[in-house]
C-alpha cells in the first residue's frame, strides 16, 4: 500500500493506536497522510511523541489515551502542551505499566487486567472511571482493573517487513508494536525496507528470530517508506533528526512560524515524496 491508501481506510471517529515511543520509531509517514485526509474526531492511543503533537495541532484528536507525550531530547511535546492548555481534547493519562497491561488485555481480548501500578497515586484521582478488583484467592489483594485498550486501527513503523505482513525491528527496543497490532481490528505496518520473507529469518545473514516482532496474522497492510519515521529515530537505519526536531519545536511556539513550517513541509496537497525532498532541501540550506 501507500501512506495515502492507508489513510483512505481510516474514518472520523475511529480509535487509532500509534506505535513507537516518544520520538522513536513513529509511523510518521502515516501521520502525515492522516493530516492530508479529512479524518478527524479521533481517539488516539499512544506512548506519545510528534505523532500526537501534529494531530493535536491540526485539531484531529477528541480524546487522547497516553502515559506521556515527549520528544525525548525535548521533554514536553510543544503542540501537546498548547492543546492541553487550551483544553482541546479529553485526556486519559495513565501510568506506563497500566498502559502496557491495557494493550495486553486488548491483545488477549480480555475486558481488563489487574495491575498494582496506579494504586496510591493521583492516577486514580484524575481517572475516576477506573475501578479496582479484589483477588479471589486467600491474599485478598486489591488491584487496579486496567481496561483493555481496544483499537479500530493500529499504525506502526518497523525496520523491515515482507509483503505478507511480517515485521522486524533491528534496534534496541520493540516499543510494544506487536501489542498495538494485536490489540486492533486492523493494523498497518510501514517499514524502511520491504524484503523477501527469507531475508527476515531464513538466511545466514538474518537477524535473530526474536526480532521478528509483528506477525502476518495481525497485519492488514504494509507500506515501504524509507525514512517514514522521520524526524523520529529508526535505529540502526537512521537516528533522530535532531536539527529538524529543534526546528519543528521552535516553529510550534509561534503561530506565524508554524504556518510557514506547515506550508513548506505539510501542505494539504503534498505527499510523502514531497516531504522527504523538502527535508533534504532544508538540510542543504543549513550547511
Amino acid at each position: 500500500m501507500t501512506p495515502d491508501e492507508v489513510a483512505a481506510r481510516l474514518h472520523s471517529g475511529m480509535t487509532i493506536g500509534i506505535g513507537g515511543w516518544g520520538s522513536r520509531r513513529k509511523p510518521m509517514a502515516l501521520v502525515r497522510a492522516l493530516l492530508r485526509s479529512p479524518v478527524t474526531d479521533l481517539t488516539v492511543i499512544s506512548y506519545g511523541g510528534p505523532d500526537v503533537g501534529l494531530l493535536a495541532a491540526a485539531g484531529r484528536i477528541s480524546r487522547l489515551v497516553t502515559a506521556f507525550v515527549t520528544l525525548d531530547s525535548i521533554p514536553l511535546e510543544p503542540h501537546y502542551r498548547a492543546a492541553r492548555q487550551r483544553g482541546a481534547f479529553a485526556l486519559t493519562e495513565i501510568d506506563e505499566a497500566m498502559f502496557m497491561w491495557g494493550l495486553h488485555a486488548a491483545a488477549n481480548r480480555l475486558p481488563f487486567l489487574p495491575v498494582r501500578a496506579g494504586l496510591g497515586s493521583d492516577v486514580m484521582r484524575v481517572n475516576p472511571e477506573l475501578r479496582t478488583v479484589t483477588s479471589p484467592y486467600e491474599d485478598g489483594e486489591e488491584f487496579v482493573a486496567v481496561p483493555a485498550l481496544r483499537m479500530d486501527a493500529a499504525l506502526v513503523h518497523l525496520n523491515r517487513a515482507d509483503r505478507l505482513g511480517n515485521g522486524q525491528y533491528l534496534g534496541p527496543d520493540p516499543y510494544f508494536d506487536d501489542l498495538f497490532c494485536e490489540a486492533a481490528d486492523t493494523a498497518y505496518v510501514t517499514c524502511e525496507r520491504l524484503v523477501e520473507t527469507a531475508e527476515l529469518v531464513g538466511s545466514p545473514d538474518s537477524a535473530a528470530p526474536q526480532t521478528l516482532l509483528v506477525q502476518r496474522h495481525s497485519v492488514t497492510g504494509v507500506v515501504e517508506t524509507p525514512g517514514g519515521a522521520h524526524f523520529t529515530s529508526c535505529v540502526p537505519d537512521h537516528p533522530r533528526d535532531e536539527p529538524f526536531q529543534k526546528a519543528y519545536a521552535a516553529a510550534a511556539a509561534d503561530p506565524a512560524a508554524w504556518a510557514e513550517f506547515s506550508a513548506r513541509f505539510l501542505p494539504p496537497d503534498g505527499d510523502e515524496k514531497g516531504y522527504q525532498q523538502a527535508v533534504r532541501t532544508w538540510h542543504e540550506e543549513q550547511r
Side-chain angles (χ1 to χ4, degrees):
M1 302 178 71
T2 67
D4 291 307
E5 287 172 343
V6 172
R9 297 275 191 97
L10 307 177
H11 307 287
S12 295
M14 274 186 163
T15 296
I16 294 179
I18 305 177
W21 179 282
S23 193
R24 308 175 214 179
R25 217 174 67 220
K26 285 289 182 176
M28 297 301 292
L30 296 184
V31 173
R32 290 186 282 269
L34 262 178
L35 294 176
R36 295 190 295 269
S37 80
V39 173
T40 189
D41 189 30
L42 296 172
T43 294
V44 174
I45 298 174
S46 175
Y47 285 109
D51 53 326
V52 171
L54 284 171
L55 292 172
R60 306 299 181 92
I61 301 175
S62 60
R63 174 174 289 276
L64 174 66
V65 181
T66 190
F68 53 76
V69 184
T70 178
L71 297 179
D72 292 319
S73 58
I74 298 172
L76 190 59
E77 215 287 342
H79 285 306
Y80 167 75
R81 178 202 294 269
R84 284 295 298 146
Q85 287 175 339
R86 65 177 184 271
F89 49 74
L91 175 67
T92 299
E93 187 175 22
I94 54 178
D95 175 270
E96 291 177 25
M98 296 170 72
F99 191 106
M100 178 186 70
W101 284 109
L103 293 176
H104 272 291
N108 288 281
R109 301 306 188 263
L110 296 171
F112 72 92
L113 279 174
V115 62
R116 293 188 178 93
L119 290 172
S121 78
D122 275 352
V123 167
M124 304 302 291
R125 179 183 62 80
V126 301
N127 296 287
E129 70 279 5
L130 288 175
R131 299 291 182 264
T132 59
V133 294
T134 302
S135 169
Y137 299 103
E138 291 182 3
D139 59 276
E141 187 175 351
E142 184 181 51
F143 298 93
V144 178
V146 179
L149 296 179
R150 288 288 296 154
M151 310 162 200
D152 296 306
L155 314 176
V156 305
H157 186 80
L158 292 164
N159 298 91
R160 304 288 182 269
D162 66 12
R163 296 176 184 277
L164 301 176
N166 298 299
Q168 183 178 53
Y169 80 103
L170 300 176
D173 201 312
Y175 304 133
F176 307 108
D177 284 354
D178 53 336
L179 293 180
F180 273 93
C181 292
E182 292 165 10
D185 293 336
T186 59
Y188 300 94
V189 174
T190 59
C191 64
E192 293 292 319
R193 185 157 60 89
L194 197 66
V195 299
E196 296 299 322
T197 304
E199 291 186 50
L200 295 176
V201 293
S203 71
D205 297 327
S206 298
Q210 59 266 33
T211 63
L212 189 60
L213 180 67
V214 172
Q215 310 299 321
R216 65 185 187 224
H217 70 268
S218 63
V219 174
T220 307
V222 180
V223 184
E224 185 178 40
T225 55
H230 185 272
F231 51 90
T232 71
S233 63
C234 187
V235 294
D237 290 303
H238 59 80
R240 182 163 53 242
D241 188 342
E242 291 287 0
F244 192 87
Q245 177 167 276
K246 289 178 181 178
Y248 163 86
D254 177 71
W258 180 247
E260 182 179 345
F261 184 98
S262 297
R264 179 172 186 179
F265 298 107
L266 303 168
D269 59 348
D271 56 22
E272 185 62 17
K273 182 178 179 180
Y275 170 81
Q276 298 287 349
Q277 181 56 56
V279 170
R280 287 191 292 270
T281 300
W282 181 85
H283 275 288
E284 291 170 0
E285 294 168 356
Q286 306 310 305
R287 294 172 184 167

